[in-house]
Amino acid sequence: MISKDLRISTAEYNIMKKKIAILGSTGSIGTQALEVINKLNDKFEVIAISAGNNINLLSKQIVEYKPEYVCVKTKEDCNTLNKKFPNVNVMFGDEGLLKIADLKEIDILLVAVSGKTGLIPTIRAIKNKKDIALANKETLVMAGDIVMSLARENNVKILPVDSEHSAIFQCINNEKNVKHLIITASGGPFLKSAYEEMEHADINETLSHPRWNMGKKITVDSATLMNKGLEVIEAHHLFNFKYEDIKVVIHPQSYVHSAVEYTDGSIIAQIGIPSMHIPIQYALTYPERYEGIETESFDFIKAGKLEFFKPDYEKFPSLKLAIEMGKKGGTCTVCMNAANEEAVFAFLDKKIKFLDIYKITKQISDNYISIPNPTIEQILDEDEKVRIQTKNLITKYKENI
Ligand code: NDP
Ligand code: MG
């Protein structure tokens, strides 16, 4: 029997729980994060969740996780949810996301929205000295210098959710003398396809990723290898590494999630089954580790042969383009990211062909004049400007399809 003095009340117990807000709770990362939280429900309390348009799933999440605050994209959906859940504070739009970033009670903000929507709320939460579990790579691709320097100034942790960056984060583990970062890539669905076959790649083929089940935008980026390019830029900012010291290696089995090479020649890699639950959980529980959803041990014998290849930059030129734009700096990555995103959406809307994604992104990037050391306002303006240019260019491609 427990003595009375050692018992803790529910209120005290809840104080000990980490209080979490999730931007993008209805997406691939968001839903998996809630699965992790469900498994570790004695360690977390969900204070706020947000969705874009999927209010059916969001409603189920409200019932299950009982957040105090909710945000949706439109005022209409906000009104619907307000009527349905009178005891929940329902907000909408970019303002609503900022209100979540302003909540005093949260300990950590998981940024799992896709696209540029994540940037401004992340900056606000950093200024409010909240730790960030960052899945949204666009935040660092668009404004990595600003975001990381704000994080340093405010003593805020940026905990990577992206599996490669979580791997590197674990391999570095606060040690110094790291010489190279080695980022692995599965190679996507067209790794073994001839270039000519990619000419006719349809949406279904492009979305059938061999290893990971993710949102559509990132899955298309994984097929062009643009995703790996975005990840190199992400790693450059997160770990403050020169582009020249970041290597990309194709590893189709996706068991080695990434590695670091130390100056003495030691290479430390993070290995495990390909599951996003693991990096999501580590970002949320850092620096602690707990038994999570994946309880089966990785079996080296079953895994068998692990392969590593040099990326084919000719066949996947998006990877090369992303690294080049990263090296140029300024707003070059803003331009490339916006052009690529619009082109990916156009491909998913069947307006352009698979290989047009690169051609359009390259053409827009080649004609772009970069702004050095941009402010956030300039970044958002450039993003908007490039999206308009890209949409115009897409119209011309559409006429040729
Ligand atoms: P999904 O498309 O599956 O989910 C995106 C989430 O963002 C959904 O909740 C969606 O809401 C919400 N959302 C989209 N647009 C808006 C908007 N304008 N306003 C408010 N909410 C919005 O994406 P993923 O989960 O795959 O990816 C999320 C981020 O994480 C991306 O930046 C991606 O690059 C990164 N990432 C993802 C990985 C993965 O395994 N999926 C791995 C590593 C990084 P709704 O669906 O309700 O419309
Ligand atoms: Mg990744």
Side-chain angles (χ1 to χ4, degrees):
M1 210 170 87
I2 304 171
S3 88
K4 203 177 170 199
D5 294 339
L6 288 178
R7 281 185 213 153
I8 51 173
S9 68
T10 313
E12 281 170 323
Y13 191 64
N14 277 338
I15 289 170
M16 289 160 53
K17 289 185 178 184
K18 236 186 210 179
K19 295 182 168 53
I20 294 199
I22 303 176
L23 306 187
S25 64
T26 49
S28 158
I29 294 288
T31 49
Q32 292 181 85
L34 286 171
E35 286 160 16
V36 166
I37 289 168
N38 208 14
K39 170 84 187 195
L40 301 176
N41 61 9
D42 56 334
K43 306 215 163 28
F44 296 111
E45 190 184 349
V46 179
I47 301 291
I49 53 180
S50 94
N53 301 313
N54 192 349
I55 65 162
N56 285 337
L57 178 56
L58 188 69
S59 298
K60 286 185 196 145
Q61 293 177 343
I62 294 173
V63 174
E64 190 170 355
Y65 296 95
K66 301 180 180 51
E68 280 174 56
Y69 303 87
V70 163
C71 181
V72 284
K73 202 163 154 183
T74 66
K75 193 173 178 183
E76 251 184 342
D77 286 342
C78 173
N79 292 340
T80 311
L81 288 185
N82 254 324
K83 281 190 200 118
K84 204 166 162 188
F85 301 103
N87 296 327
V88 178
N89 294 298
V90 189
M91 307 168 291
F92 70 95
D94 294 342
E95 274 302 306
L97 295 179
L98 283 179
K99 283 182 192 154
I100 291 184
D102 277 341
L103 292 172
K104 293 219 164 31
E105 56 266 54
I106 63 170
D107 296 311
I108 185 160
L109 179 73
L110 169 60
V111 186
V113 278
S114 47
K116 67 172 173 177
T117 315
L119 176 59
I120 302 298
T122 302
I123 288 181
R124 182 70 77 89
I126 294 174
K127 286 183 178 166
N128 289 331
K129 303 196 188 308
K130 304 294 178 188
D131 286 338
I132 308 288
L134 189 63
N136 177 269
K137 53 191 83 183
E138 294 84 351
T139 293
L140 292 178
V141 171
M142 291 177 73
D145 289 333
I146 296 177
V147 168
M148 293 312 292
S149 85
L150 273 176
R152 279 188 291 272
E153 262 169 47
N154 288 283
N155 208 12
V156 157
K157 293 187 203 68
I158 307 288
L159 300 153
V161 169
D162 213 343
S163 59
E164 295 77 2
H165 305 77
S166 174
I168 291 170
F169 182 64
Q170 294 179 59
C171 295
I172 293 183
N173 196 20
N174 289 325
E175 283 202 51
K176 295 195 172 57
N177 303 318
V178 177
K179 194 166 147 193
H180 292 124
L181 306 183
I182 302 153
I183 299 185
T184 54
S186 72
F190 303 129
L191 177 65
K192 301 229 162 94
S193 312
Y195 185 80
E196 296 68 42
E197 286 172 58
M198 296 199 300
E199 288 262 10
H200 309 288
D202 66 17
I203 295 178
N204 285 340
E205 286 166 312
T206 308
L207 291 182
S208 39
H209 195 279
R211 297 281 156 188
W212 301 96
N213 191 4
M214 309 175 283
K216 284 186 183 170
K217 154 71 170 54
I218 183 174
T219 309
V220 176
D221 283 346
S222 300
T224 58
L225 289 205
M226 172 55 87
N227 182 50
K228 215 39 62 180
L230 298 177
E231 289 184 353
V232 169
I233 299 168
E234 194 184 354
H236 159 80
H237 289 295
L238 264 177
F239 305 110
N240 197 14
F241 256 73
K242 286 193 276 187
Y243 284 100
E244 290 73 15
D245 295 331
I246 305 173
K247 298 178 180 177
V248 176
V249 177
I250 303 291
H251 166 48
Q253 292 78 17
S254 296
Y255 291 135
V256 177
H257 299 308
S258 278
V260 302
E261 182 188 352
Y262 284 89
T263 40
D264 63 1
S266 270
I267 292 188
I268 298 188
Q270 191 254 346
I271 299 176
I273 54 163
S275 161
M276 284 309 295
H277 288 128
I278 298 169
I280 292 170
Q281 178 174 316
Y282 192 59
L284 297 182
T285 63
Y286 177 83
E288 307 299 332
R289 291 185 188 267
Y290 303 103
E291 183 167 308
I293 291 176
E294 316 296 349
T295 49
E296 208 180 310
S297 297
F298 173 74
D299 188 331
F300 277 83
I301 313 289
K302 257 198 214 159
K305 194 164 80 172
L306 301 187
E307 297 166 295
F308 301 94
F309 311 112
K310 191 177 169 211
D312 185 339
Y313 291 97
E314 299 297 313
K315 195 168 124 189
F316 298 106
S318 296
L319 173 58
K320 196 167 143 199
L321 174 65
I323 297 171
E324 275 169 14
M325 294 298 269
K327 282 181 184 169
K328 282 186 188 166
T331 44
C332 282
T333 53
V334 178
C335 162
M336 184 216 48
N337 178 61
N340 172 66
E341 193 167 295
E342 290 302 327
V344 169
F345 291 155
F347 170 70
L348 290 170
D349 281 348
K350 299 188 178 159
K351 289 181 185 157
I352 58 168
K353 292 190 272 187
F354 178 73
L355 291 179
D356 293 339
I357 300 173
Y358 167 73
K359 289 179 196 160
I360 288 168
T361 311
K362 169 86 173 144
Q363 195 172 330
I364 295 283
S365 302
D366 281 351
N367 294 319
Y368 183 68
I369 298 166
S370 169
I371 302 177
N373 304 314
T375 62
I376 282 294
E377 290 70 29
Q378 285 172 319
I379 286 173
L380 294 176
D381 284 351
E382 290 302 293
D383 176 85
E384 207 56 50
K385 199 175 83 188
V386 170
R387 282 174 199 272
I388 294 168
Q389 284 169 3
T390 312
K391 282 179 189 157
N392 287 338
L393 185 58
I394 287 168
T395 319
K396 290 187 193 138
Y397 273 73
K398 198 182 160 193
E399 284 158 10
N400 294 333
I401 211 165

